[in-house]
Amino acid sequence: MDKRKYFSSGLSLLMLVGVILFDSCNKKEEAFSNRKVSFNSDWSFHLNDSIIDKDTITSSTKWRTLDVPHDWGVEGKFDEKSPAGYGGGALTGGLGWYKKTFKVAAADSSKVTSIIFDGVYRNSEVWVNGHYLGKRPNGYISFQYEMSPYLNYGDKNNEIIVKVDNSKQPNSRWYSGSGIFRNVWIETTDKLHVAQWGTYVTTPKVTAEKASVQFETTIQNQNPASKKATVTTTIFKEDTKVTSVTQDITIGANASQTIKQQAQVETPVLWSVEKPELYTAVTEISVDDKIVDQYKTNFGIRDFKFDVDKGFILNGKQVKIKGVCMHHDLGPLGSAINTRAIERQLEILKGMGVNGIRTSHNPPAPELLDLCDKMGFIVMDEAFDMWKQNKTKYDYGNDWDKWHKKDLIDQLLRDRNHPSIFVWSIGNEIPQQWDESGVIIAKELAAITRQYDKTRPITAAMNPPVNMNIDEVTLQFEQKNVQFNAIAKSGVLDLIGYNYAHQTYAHHKKNFPGIPFIATETTSALETRGYYDNNSDSIKKWPVRWDLKFTEGNPGNTVSAYDQVQAPWGSTHEATWKIIKKHDYLSGMYIWTGFDYIGEPTPYEWPSISSYFGIVDLAGFPKDVYYMYQSEWTDKNVLHIFPHWNWKAGQNVDVWAYYNNADEVELFLNGKSVGVRSKKGDDLHVMWRIPFQPGTLKAISRKNGKTVLESEIKTAGNASNLKLTADRSAIKADGNDLSFVIVDILDSKGVLVPNANNEINFSLKGNGKIVGVCSGDPVSHESYKGSKHTALNGKCLVVIQSGKKTGRLELTAKANGLKQSTVVITAE
Ligand code: GAL
């Protein structure tokens, strides 16, 4: 293995090349570090439904300066009459304009300059210096436009204008957000360059000794003359060169060409969930020994299959996919992406033992996939929530005919190098799944997918017949005159994917012999963090049927956080995991959902505006069931007891414990044992029903008579103090980094007050800002963007974003009658 350190020698080579080739760049790195640069800062924004035509923007149009990613929806007020409906989070859509003025160096006039949008929700149209670049209806797709022919170079300004039309509502079953809600980049390359998403790295043969790595690279020549060039692809592990391959090409004027290269990696370090090892392929194009373009692709070496009997096999080992479905919003930040906010979500999920993410129901921000590559998640990358037939009046179904092909191809091209992606899902609960019209589309989508990537199985998240037992399902299937999920039956899918109805899973083996299975979506259990209805051992379906309105409910639109409430099509967490755990042929599941999200506030309607499905609430606070999974899915010792210990004297309260690595748990109330319990059979928790008495509840888990863990809950007195805890007390002063600060409301002895709902006011000193406040309460209509918020059950969250200057950020929280608290965060 060549131990040449790439980045040092690479830079000195670039130094030379830079001086010779780019007369404007006398700094060494500029030659390629400028290939793709952020274009996020200093946009002007104007929201106005009545400006439909760009030319009606006048000099008196008022603009506000902001940085993207930006979501204007979350800045608005929750409104019962919002055309998006409570399903869409009762927030507003509308029509917004963005513009930005910029200069391009004179030296770049000989290059190709493009603008890249990672995602704009939705119906974006872009102009540069008055030239129309194009339109993209799909809000979740990444796209780019070449701007070079229309640019001014040197001192003269350029202006880019982006129209974002999200005015037609509803167009989503959940909160979409509005605006340039993902990153924007400027890409500058030589006229001879690697094309957009121009590399495809696969590992057709992987053994412990050797992996063959195949590169398909598309080179684009935008010169008016043909070019002779050398394409070198070098594999690096961290900064150590592993191997490289070189090929000479001749490429015609204004043409593109795809070349294939093969390399071998000896004793490859494999990508796995526990050790997500990455390699980097660096593609260099040289002309006359000068490097004119350099393009990096991260990839992983792993071997996997979905097996009919054994489920998901990764690097020869059976791995159960313990996944969660996620929507793209980031709670109080709305849908404006922030890499640290996504990373925090993934860290919280990793802590619970999650190893899989389903990007429901659309292509995600590219940063999510980068993080999944680095952190070790098994991703199901999903394309669509609807095909041609709409689910809401103004959704993508209306754009289907014109755009679906391009959108799917772009998703595949963008995402296919990510080692974390193991499954393509061509759609979620597509209404046309029941008949031939769906089969025709499924065949088309599968053919496109296979054209661009044959290395991963294709599934669709389908509905098996609801409310039927296994015999009825089998009968339905066998009766030719009865339509039974036509897509499943058509043979077009590599992996049968069912949403819910776990009682029907077993029929698949009989009726789809040879096709492996995955539970694409499960559970849909419901909880409000910190609310408990006793008794806990009755299971409730809320609403009773999916097509009925929910009238039962609790005052305050709360749902018990004992795992006892499920949507009618769903099941409790415990019931679902017991099934998935039991059968090897079930590759795994993606639970609906990891985090709560804005919109779809099942089982309630207004005034509820966000979901109850999350294992973690909107603010990022785990609900109790998080610890059931942690006890099952991680090796760390777990003993979690709940509920809180503030009840009416004499009231019977069910106390649950999730635990692992122990034979038994003993519970004590005020020092007196109330019994020893151990899980029997497939139990996932133990329970005591005891009359409430204020004081201390203490649990001890033991293995072979020895204490493993102790856990205590105390009755809290009146709220007295605020306590602030920052997840990170040092953040980067890059204008982007975040510190998530937890606010706890405590009594005078430091015990969390489990029903405290004080309004808390925040103030921040220093170069930074408060960008989100949230309690996780699905009924709260307070703005996530304010500087005050009402706590839910003793807790609240405030999100601080750094400015671009280093220094101290001092956050203070105050509430009437409570002792204030301050936390210091350093921006470095
Ligand atoms: C599923 C659907 C999800 C979400 C969920 C709520 O059927 O795929 O998008 O709506 O129900 O339970």
Side-chain angles (χ1 to χ4, degrees):
M1 192 184 277
D2 181 348
K3 287 284 178 191
R4 171 173 78 109
K5 291 283 177 196
Y6 163 69
F7 290 104
S8 47
S9 59
L11 280 185
S12 43
L13 177 64
L14 292 185
M15 204 187 296
L16 251 178
V17 174
V19 171
I20 300 162
L21 278 184
F22 304 93
D23 53 14
S24 70
C25 359
N26 29 32
K27 276 197 237 118
K28 52 183 197 272
E29 308 88 356
E30 276 183 17
F32 300 110
S33 63
N34 278 352
R35 196 185 196 276
K36 187 176 161 188
V37 293
S38 172
F39 201 57
N40 284 342
S41 56
D42 297 322
W43 286 79
S44 302
F45 173 68
H46 178 73
L47 184 65
N48 190 337
D49 277 14
S50 59
I51 302 185
I52 292 171
D53 184 347
K54 172 175 80 62
D55 298 327
T56 57
I57 296 174
T58 66
S59 52
S60 62
T61 304
K62 287 210 173 65
W63 298 87
R64 173 183 144 205
T65 306
L66 48 76
D67 293 346
V68 300
H70 170 237
D71 169 14
W72 79 68
V74 78
E75 295 168 349
K77 283 198 168 69
F78 296 103
D79 180 356
E80 187 176 8
K81 297 200 177 69
S82 152
Y86 51 85
L91 287 166
T92 180
L95 199 159
W97 292 88
Y98 294 85
K99 64 171 187 171
K100 172 164 166 152
T101 304
F102 62 104
K103 288 195 170 73
V104 185
D108 288 346
S109 63
S110 59
K111 299 185 190 164
V112 179
T113 303
S114 302
I115 185 159
I116 302 173
F117 292 92
D118 285 347
V120 182
Y121 201 91
R122 77 187 286 278
N123 285 317
S124 66
E125 287 178 89
V126 184
W127 293 260
V128 69
N129 297 333
H131 292 269
Y132 187 64
L133 295 177
K135 175 179 172 124
R136 240 15 226 260
N138 188 326
Y140 299 109
I141 204 74
S142 300
F143 55 95
Q144 86 177 48
Y145 300 113
E146 187 186 341
M147 300 193 292
S148 343
Y150 319 111
L151 290 176
N152 302 313
Y153 294 92
D155 284 342
K156 224 171 145 198
N157 275 331
N158 296 280
E159 186 184 57
I160 184 148
I161 294 185
V162 183
K163 176 184 177 184
V164 185
D165 187 355
N166 193 20
S167 56
K168 292 212 173 96
Q169 298 277 347
N171 61 47
S172 175
R173 299 187 299 112
W174 56 87
Y175 174 66
S176 63
S178 300
I180 303 182
F181 68 5
R182 292 182 183 164
N183 288 310
V184 185
W185 309 90
I186 291 286
E187 189 182 75
T188 310
T189 66
D190 188 80
K191 286 195 170 150
L192 183 66
H193 60 98
V194 175
Q196 179 192 11
W197 304 315
T199 57
Y200 180 37
V201 186
T202 53
T203 53
K205 197 148 186 259
V206 178
T207 63
E209 295 76 42
K210 202 183 261 188
S212 61
V213 185
Q214 193 164 302
F215 306 103
E216 267 180 52
T217 309
T218 304
I219 318 279
Q220 200 173 348
N221 179 19
Q222 295 186 246
N223 291 290
S226 77
K227 288 274 169 187
K228 277 187 189 322
T230 305
V231 181
T232 303
T233 305
T234 308
I235 300 177
F236 291 91
K237 180 82 191 97
E238 272 88 57
D239 54 1
T240 303
K241 177 179 164 181
V242 177
T243 186
S244 87
V245 278
T246 292
Q247 185 175 335
D248 292 333
I249 58 165
T250 304
I251 177 167
N254 294 314
S256 68
Q257 187 176 321
T258 301
I259 61 161
K260 284 194 179 166
Q261 296 174 306
Q262 294 262 11
Q264 304 287 335
V265 174
E266 307 289 330
T267 54
V269 206
L270 303 186
W271 187 99
S272 68
V273 166
E274 300 78 27
K275 287 192 90 198
E277 297 277 356
L278 296 176
Y279 287 84
T280 305
V282 178
T283 313
E284 284 169 338
I285 307 177
S286 319
V287 175
D288 299 333
D289 289 336
K290 289 165 202 153
I291 302 169
V292 298
D293 191 28
Q294 188 192 64
Y295 186 93
K296 286 184 196 157
T297 312
N298 287 338
F299 70 99
I301 301 179
R302 77 276 189 280
D303 171 65
F304 76 97
K305 66 172 180 184
F306 284 86
D307 184 85
V308 186
D309 300 312
K310 291 279 161 206
F312 181 60
I313 312 285
L314 179 60
N315 304 325
K317 269 187 10 217
Q318 190 179 7
V319 176
K320 191 68 97 176
I321 299 176
K322 300 158 188 156
V324 293
C325 302
M326 292 285 278
H327 273 318
H328 61 297
D329 79 58
L330 294 165
L333 305 181
S335 299
I337 87 111
N338 176 289
T339 307
R340 171 57 201 156
I342 302 176
E343 183 184 51
R344 169 183 178 253
Q345 287 193 329
L346 294 176
E347 284 169 1
I348 291 170
L349 294 169
K350 261 263 140 144
M352 161 183 149
V354 169
N355 69 8
I357 301 288
R358 172 180 179 221
T359 71
S360 38
H361 305 296
N362 40 259
E367 289 75 12
L368 174 93
L369 298 173
D370 292 339
L371 285 165
C372 288
D373 291 347
K374 278 187 210 145
M375 295 172 76
F377 287 93
I378 300 158
V379 175
M380 178 187 299
D381 195 0
E382 192 154 73
F384 304 110
D385 189 45
M386 78 293 294
W387 295 343
K388 201 177 160 79
Q389 189 174 324
N390 301 60
K391 287 187 177 173
T392 55
K393 189 165 180 199
Y394 296 107
D395 67 30
Y396 183 75
N398 302 337
D399 304 306
W400 181 260
D401 283 342
K402 191 152 175 234
W403 288 97
H404 72 276
K405 198 167 170 194
K406 178 153 184 59
D407 287 335
L408 180 60
I409 293 172
D410 284 356
Q411 177 188 4
L412 295 163
L413 288 173
R414 190 196 71 169
D415 292 351
R416 63 188 179 168
N417 292 320
H418 286 281
S420 58
I421 298 176
F422 287 87
V423 183
W424 300 116
S425 165
I426 54 173
N428 174 59
E429 297 187 352
I430 300 298
Q432 291 133 295
Q433 67 189 303
W434 305 109
D435 57 54
E436 280 307 304
S437 70
V439 175
I440 294 167
I441 299 177
K443 282 190 176 153
E444 185 206 0
L445 301 181
I448 294 171
T449 306
R450 290 190 183 107
Q451 187 185 339
Y452 290 90
D453 184 48
K454 287 191 187 60
T455 72
R456 298 167 176 95
I458 300 168
T459 194
M462 299 174 291
N463 305 99
V466 270
N467 300 328
M468 276 184 209
N469 65 35
I470 181 87
D471 297 331
E472 289 167 324
V473 170
T474 306
L475 190 70
Q476 274 246 356
F477 182 85
E478 282 163 359
Q479 285 174 355
K480 295 243 166 45
N481 56 339
V482 179
Q483 291 294 350
F484 178 91
N485 201 312
I487 297 175
K489 257 178 127 172
S490 69
V492 70
L493 301 174
D494 305 313
L495 190 58
I496 296 291
Y498 277 179
N499 285 6
Y500 307 98
H502 57 232
Q503 75 283 0
T504 68
Y505 289 170
H507 94 93
H508 119 275
K509 281 200 103 175
K510 181 165 174 225
N511 295 327
F512 305 112
I515 311 184
F517 182 90
I518 188 156
T520 31
E521 188 176 315
T522 65
T523 317
S524 273
L526 306 162
E527 286 101 17
T528 305
R529 172 182 54 78
Y531 273 106
Y532 307 92
D533 294 343
N534 278 288
N535 294 340
S536 66
D537 52 358
S538 60
I539 304 291
K540 299 168 188 169
K541 275 191 188 180
W542 281 3
V544 176
R545 254 182 30 213
W546 70 273
D547 53 342
L548 296 182
K549 281 211 167 188
F550 187 59
T551 47
E552 177 176 358
N554 282 353
N557 281 15
T558 59
V559 180
S560 174
Y562 292 114
D563 180 17
Q564 64 178 146
V565 186
Q566 64 187 66
W569 51 90
S571 42
T572 61
H573 291 278
E574 291 197 6
T576 320
W577 172 233
K578 281 179 192 174
I579 300 271
I580 301 286
K581 181 179 175 179
K582 194 154 138 195
H583 301 290
D584 273 358
Y585 76 91
L586 300 173
S587 310
M589 64 169 170
Y590 288 93
I591 303 165
W592 193 266
T593 46
F595 271 60
D596 276 332
Y597 51 95
I598 308 173
E600 212 181 19
T602 320
Y604 301 106
E605 299 178 355
W606 180 268
S608 296
I609 48 89
S610 59
S611 85
Y612 295 76
F613 294 115
I615 297 165
V616 180
D617 77 11
L618 201 63
F621 301 130
K623 302 177 189 174
D624 297 290
V625 76
Y626 179 95
Y627 300 97
M628 184 279 282
Y629 289 110
Q630 197 178 53
S631 73
E632 285 284 293
W633 291 357
T634 74
D635 294 336
K636 60 186 144 198
N637 292 339
V638 175
L639 173 61
H640 177 76
I641 52 169
F642 63 102
H644 55 74
W645 208 237
N646 278 56
W647 300 88
K648 287 199 195 103
Q651 176 182 353
N652 270 339
V653 182
D654 288 354
V655 178
W656 286 35
Y658 294 129
Y659 72 93
N660 63 2
N661 303 340
D663 314 315
E664 59 178 35
V665 181
E666 185 163 11
L667 187 71
F668 299 86
L669 176 55
N670 295 329
K672 253 180 77 186
S673 175
V674 291
V676 178
R677 301 273 188 279
S678 22
K679 294 188 267 193
K680 305 271 177 329
D682 62 359
D683 285 352
L684 296 171
H685 73 271
V686 290
M687 188 191 101
W688 298 259
R689 181 162 295 163
I690 50 176
F692 174 72
Q693 213 183 80
T696 303
L697 201 59
K698 178 174 175 174
I700 301 178
S701 63
R702 295 188 199 101
K703 190 167 180 80
N704 301 327
K706 281 205 191 113
T707 299
V708 178
L709 283 178
E710 295 186 5
S711 176
E712 249 182 27
I713 314 175
K714 288 179 192 267
T715 305
N718 292 335
S720 156
N721 308 332
L722 293 172
K723 184 179 148 210
L724 296 183
T725 314
D727 72 335
R728 290 186 311 152
S729 50
I731 57 176
K732 279 185 244 127
D734 60 0
N736 212 10
D737 204 2
L738 303 175
S739 182
F740 289 84
V741 183
I742 295 172
V743 189
D744 286 322
I745 303 177
L746 308 177
D747 72 2
S748 58
K749 293 188 181 128
V751 177
L752 184 89
V753 184
N755 47 10
N757 53 3
N758 306 62
E759 185 187 80
I760 308 164
N761 282 277
F762 300 102
S763 57
L764 184 72
K765 282 194 208 144
N767 187 244
K769 53 187 178 188
I770 295 170
V771 288
V773 281
C774 185
S775 66
D777 184 354
V779 192
S780 169
H781 294 169
E782 294 163 289
S783 172
Y784 304 131
K785 291 288 169 190
S787 57
K788 61 176 185 198
H789 213 76
T790 303
L792 173 73
N793 296 332
K795 280 184 162 317
C796 194
L797 177 82
V798 50
V799 191
I800 305 301
Q801 185 164 52
S802 60
K804 285 184 183 156
K805 285 191 210 135
T806 57
R808 256 169 79 93
L809 297 169
E810 201 181 291
L811 174 73
T812 300
K814 293 182 186 171
N816 273 344
L818 304 188
K819 215 167 122 200
Q820 70 180 60
S821 173
T822 295
V823 71
V824 174
I825 298 153
T826 320
E828 300 176 336

